[in-house]
Every structure is written in structure tokens, then in C-alpha cells.
Amino acid sequence: MNYLRATVRVLALTMLLGVFSLPALAQGCAMCNAVARSTPKEGQRALNRAILVMLVPPISIMVFGVGFAFRYGKRRDQDQDRGEE
């Protein structure tokens, strides 16, 4: 039951952060936008792919860091429980 509550909280927080970050998406550089629009469709697809490729390493690092933090926290809690017994 606690797992379900934690999952719902995480999903709600993620959705809330997503909603509040939407205005940040509109803050693109006007010059960059004009240049990107003037390129042919193949160039636009290449730019989109390049942006996605550049996002993979930071997202991977964050996922690894958060996973490591949760794993460390769970192990620490288990060690504390064993110490109390």
C-alpha cells in the first residue's frame, strides 16, 4: 500500500513539474528559431535528432544518480533495521 502511495506521489509531482515547466519551452532564441525554420525539412529533422542525442547523456546520468540514491537509502534503512534487532 505504501508503494502505491509513493508511486502516486511521484507521478503527481512529475506531472506538476511538467505543467509548470511548459512556459520555459517558449523561451527559444528568435534568431535560432528563424534559422531552423529556414532550413529544409531534412535539416530540421537532423536538428531534432541532434537535440535528442544531446539529451541522452544528461538524462542517463540523472537516472543513474537517482537510482543509486534510492538504492543507497534502501540499504541504509535495512542496515538500521538490523541494528535495532
Side-chain angles (χ1 to χ4, degrees):
M1 188 68 171
N2 287 335
Y3 177 74
L4 181 62
R5 286 183 185 171
T7 304
V8 170
R9 285 182 187 167
V10 168
L11 287 174
L13 181 63
T14 303
M15 289 173 40
L16 188 66
L17 288 173
V19 168
F20 284 122
S21 67
L22 285 177
L25 296 174
Q27 295 178 1
C29 168
M31 186 77 135
C32 297
N33 190 7
V35 170
R37 283 188 184 183
S38 67
T39 58
K41 288 289 182 189
E42 294 173 13
Q44 290 177 1
R45 280 191 224 118
L47 283 172
N48 285 337
R49 267 190 238 122
I51 290 169
L52 290 176
V53 167
M54 290 172 58
L55 278 174
V56 169
I59 290 174
S60 301
I61 291 169
M62 289 300 297
V63 166
F64 175 75
V66 168
F68 182 72
F70 275 110
R71 187 172 170 189
Y72 171 76
K74 186 182 249 185
R75 184 176 297 157
R76 184 194 60 206
D77 290 344
Q78 289 173 351
D79 289 345
Q80 285 178 353
D81 289 343
R82 287 184 197 144
E84 291 176 0
E85 291 176 357

